[in-house]
Amino acid sequence: MALIVQKYGGTSVGSVERIQAVAQRVYKTVQAGNSLVVVVSAMGKTTDGLVKLANEISPNPNRREMDMLLSTGEQVTIALLSMALQELGQPAISMTGAQVGIVTEAEHSRARILHIETTRLTRHINEGKVVVVAGFQGTSSAGEMEITTLGRGGSDTSAVAIAAALKANFCEIYTDVPGILTTDPRLVAEAQLMDAITCDEMLELASLGAKVLHPRAVEIARNYGVPLVVRSSWTDQPGTWVTSAKPQGRSLINLEIARPVDHVEFDTDQAKVALLRVPDKPGVAARLFGEISRQKVDVDLIIQSVHEGNSNDIAFTVTTPILKRAEAVATAIAPALRSQSNPKFDEAEVMVEHNIAKVSIAGAGMIGRPGVAAKMFATLAEAGVNIQMISTSEVKVSCVVDANQCDRAVLALRTAFEIEVGEQGAGSRGEFLTPNSSLLTPHSPSPVRGVALDLNQARLAIRQLPDRPGMAAKLFGLLAQHNISVDMIIQSQRCRVIDGVPRRDIAFTVSQIDGENAREMLTQVAAELGWGEVVLDSAIAKVSIVGAGMVGQPGVAAKCLKL
């Protein structure tokens, strides 16, 4: 007998008939000898309707009252599904987030789960009942017992958190697609169903725009080793399994906020190659990395700086043993790039730097957590470590520093993020997934599992930021104080000395809804902190390729850039 948590989204419970169909599926699962907890969303477009009602009353409704209002949608569903199960002869009980014991931060509309009191839940399960739980909601830990909601995708988060707290055998996410697909089947009939995908890959895809699973749900599954499967509410297809490594024995206290960083990693076997003042036009990066891949040179970090006029800089890191090959390729292709340049501009040049190290923090808890990157930068600044390059993903922030500062940086980061020595990583090391015939093939293994598109990004560029320890920490600390999450971060390779102070440009992306607020806030402090113009560009999109198999595969970046 297995203990299973099932979650059904709004479309799956969008009518009485669909609720009855869900009840039949649940009943069959119990009859097969399983114990069941069912987490449901509000019916169909109920939440949208409630939001519309609130906006008719107030253009800026109070967040507490919005939580009170929106939490009612799931209560309708749990009561109806419990009734439907009882009509089939299956004992069932409906429970709100508060009754289940889901305790959250006192943060309305975007609360994170602190812990789940499972005593009452376990008692009902042992009595043979199906427990039907309202997803998306909980109560604050303060004495007031305020109703809170978890934000978008909250029912996914509720389901996986309950599965973790109960140590369930697995968690099933039922939706309107048969699993995790290579594309939206409503747009592309040839969409391919994936049998399995790793939590790390799904985490990046979910964070980059694939909406089948919310990243917070994947984060919990990864952190606590919850087996997760995405299936269709309308068929009996096996769906897609989201796999994770063996859990590290995390505490279930402060479930979503306990520790955003799991590992501090480092690699001292690194060197940097930079091409300065290359033409800012399509095809240049593809040409460079195409030649690099033909020479079987495996590239690690790649940074393209924000453009200046008609040129920008491209820098990448390689391992020391292949530095000479990488330098030779860059030197050979530089004249071809120069011939395309406007003669009014300085010619492209190749810059090589030895004796560097890459230091990284990694962890699923970093997603949507303003301040983690800022804490890393502040820690390095306090240790007197200057940052030369920055590269970010949904689950990792990497900085290139001087090799002789690596040990100091690792020790400081390990202390700041409370990482024990045994836990330290050591040494080297669209809305839907969009298919592309040259990257994804249904019949052969590919290093790329999917391509995600995010149209909700804005880029901010700060000109002439003083190049000294602590400036990145101040910049991203300010953003964290205003609860603005940063996605990609780019630090330019070109350095200018102005009034005796070395300066570089830095650019980063944020959500479009935060773009203008961030620009205004950073402009207000520009004179005080000594940086130049703050430029906002909202007319951008982020396209990302994701796949664990890309590591050690020269040519993947070149193929992407060529397309």
Side-chain angles (χ1 to χ4, degrees):
M1 183 178 74
L3 173 57
I4 303 170
V5 177
Q6 294 183 343
K7 179 264 178 177
Y8 294 90
T11 55
S12 301
V13 292
S15 66
V16 168
E17 293 74 21
R18 290 184 177 182
I19 289 174
Q20 290 171 330
V22 167
Q24 288 285 351
R25 185 184 291 271
V26 171
Y27 181 69
K28 288 178 182 177
T29 305
V30 175
Q31 290 299 300
N34 302 297
S35 297
L36 216 61
V37 175
V38 181
V39 178
V40 293
S41 300
M43 295 175 63
K45 299 293 184 181
T46 298
T47 301
D48 291 342
L50 293 173
V51 171
K52 183 179 179 183
L53 284 173
N55 289 333
E56 289 176 1
I57 296 291
S58 169
N60 186 27
N62 179 275
R63 283 168 55 193
R64 178 193 182 275
E65 303 308 330
M66 283 299 292
D67 277 2
M68 185 69 74
L69 175 66
L70 297 181
S71 65
T72 64
E74 282 71 21
Q75 288 180 232
V76 173
T77 314
I78 60 174
L80 292 174
L81 181 54
S82 294
M83 293 175 192
L85 286 165
Q86 291 163 9
E87 284 297 305
L88 295 173
Q90 171 59 50
I93 184 171
S94 61
M95 299 178 72
T96 65
Q99 291 171 322
V100 168
I102 298 176
V103 180
T104 74
E105 300 171 303
E107 186 72 41
H108 289 294
S109 79
R110 57 188 177 202
R112 288 181 180 267
I113 297 173
L114 299 179
H115 63 277
I116 300 176
E117 302 283 356
T118 59
T119 305
R120 187 177 179 186
L121 195 56
T122 303
R123 185 177 77 246
H124 289 307
I125 293 169
N126 292 338
E127 291 170 352
K129 297 175 184 175
V130 171
V131 184
V132 185
V133 179
F136 177 66
Q137 62 182 251
T139 56
S140 66
S141 58
E144 290 82 2
M145 293 289 290
E146 289 288 313
I147 292 175
T148 56
T149 63
L150 309 182
R152 187 178 71 81
S155 293
D156 286 355
T157 305
S158 299
V160 182
I162 289 172
L166 290 173
K167 296 181 172 58
N169 294 87
F170 55 90
C171 179
E172 298 176 316
I173 305 293
Y174 284 93
T175 183
D176 54 0
V177 292
I180 299 168
L181 304 171
T182 54
T183 188
D184 183 349
R186 295 168 296 186
L187 301 177
V188 180
E190 294 80 12
Q192 298 293 320
L193 177 67
M194 299 187 203
D195 295 330
I197 186 171
T198 68
C199 261
D200 283 341
E201 290 172 329
M202 191 65 234
L203 195 56
E204 292 212 37
L205 288 168
S207 303
L208 294 166
K211 294 182 180 177
V212 177
L213 275 174
H214 195 274
R216 282 171 62 185
V218 183
E219 173 187 339
I220 296 169
R222 178 185 184 273
N223 285 344
Y224 292 93
V226 177
L228 194 59
V229 59
V230 179
R231 291 179 173 151
S232 169
S233 298
W234 325 122
T235 73
D236 293 322
Q237 292 185 41
T240 304
W241 283 91
V242 183
T243 62
S244 57
K246 185 177 179 180
Q248 300 177 0
R250 282 174 173 260
S251 169
L252 289 164
I253 303 300
N254 292 332
L255 191 146
E256 280 201 272
I257 66 170
R259 195 169 70 182
V261 174
D262 294 323
H263 299 290
V264 176
E265 304 168 356
F266 65 93
D267 182 359
T268 56
D269 192 23
Q270 292 262 310
K272 180 175 69 175
V273 179
L275 275 80
L276 308 183
R277 295 181 293 276
V278 300
D280 182 32
K281 58 190 296 184
V284 171
R287 188 172 181 181
L288 169 62
F289 290 104
E291 185 61 34
I292 285 173
S293 70
R294 281 189 286 275
Q295 299 300 321
K296 305 300 181 185
V297 174
D298 191 21
V299 173
D300 187 1
L301 303 182
I302 302 175
I303 301 291
Q304 178 171 295
S305 305
V306 62
H307 68 86
E308 293 188 40
N310 293 329
S311 71
N312 57 28
D313 307 330
I314 299 176
F316 56 92
T317 61
V318 295
T319 57
T320 303
I322 61 174
L323 172 61
K324 289 186 177 179
R325 264 192 292 158
E327 182 181 1
V329 173
T331 303
I333 201 171
L337 299 180
R338 290 175 190 142
S339 67
Q340 301 174 29
S341 301
N342 189 323
K344 293 181 180 179
F345 290 88
D346 294 332
E347 290 187 338
E349 66 173 287
V350 178
M351 181 178 71
V352 175
E353 188 166 348
H354 305 262
N355 300 319
I356 63 169
K358 182 179 71 173
V359 180
S360 307
I361 57 172
M366 294 166 58
I367 290 178
R369 199 79 59 88
V372 176
K375 184 175 180 179
M376 180 187 191
F377 302 150
T379 300
L380 293 177
E382 289 167 7
V385 176
N386 197 32
I387 300 169
Q388 300 180 26
M389 292 175 69
I390 300 169
S391 176
T392 60
S393 75
E394 316 320 301
V395 293
K396 182 178 285 190
V397 180
S398 299
C399 295
V400 170
V401 302
D402 285 339
N404 59 13
Q405 296 180 331
C406 180
D407 289 347
R408 194 190 326 159
V410 169
L411 178 61
L413 291 171
R414 203 169 62 221
T415 302
F417 290 103
E418 300 178 0
I419 306 297
E420 298 295 331
V421 174
E423 298 173 304
Q424 176 186 339
S428 301
R429 190 229 178 258
E431 188 170 303
F432 287 79
L433 312 189
T434 306
N436 185 295
S437 59
S438 63
L439 287 175
L440 301 174
T441 55
H443 304 297
S444 62
S446 170
V448 176
R449 300 306 306 277
V451 181
L453 172 65
D454 187 351
L455 297 171
N456 298 311
Q457 295 262 312
R459 184 183 67 190
L460 286 144
I462 300 180
R463 303 291 188 182
Q464 300 175 10
L465 194 80
D467 184 29
R468 57 174 177 258
M471 288 308 300
K474 288 181 180 178
L475 167 59
F476 294 104
L478 280 170
L479 293 166
Q481 289 171 23
H482 287 76
N483 204 32
I484 296 173
S485 292
V486 174
D487 188 0
M488 302 177 69
I489 303 173
I490 300 167
Q491 182 172 272
S492 70
Q493 296 306 297
R494 217 177 303 184
C495 184
R496 289 189 173 85
V497 177
I498 301 175
D499 297 329
V501 178
R503 298 174 180 271
R504 298 181 191 270
D505 297 341
I506 195 165
F508 53 91
T509 59
V510 298
S511 172
Q512 279 187 356
I513 61 174
D514 291 327
E516 186 55 41
N517 288 340
R519 187 196 66 79
E520 290 181 4
M521 182 267 293
L522 295 174
T523 299
Q524 288 172 3
V525 299
E528 176 188 346
L529 295 177
W531 59 58
E533 182 185 13
V534 180
V535 181
L536 173 66
D537 183 0
S538 298
I540 65 166
K542 183 174 72 171
V543 180
S544 307
I545 58 173
V546 174
M550 291 191 292
V551 177
Q553 291 283 335
V556 175
K559 184 179 287 188
C560 174
L561 294 168
K562 184 177 180 181
L563 298 172

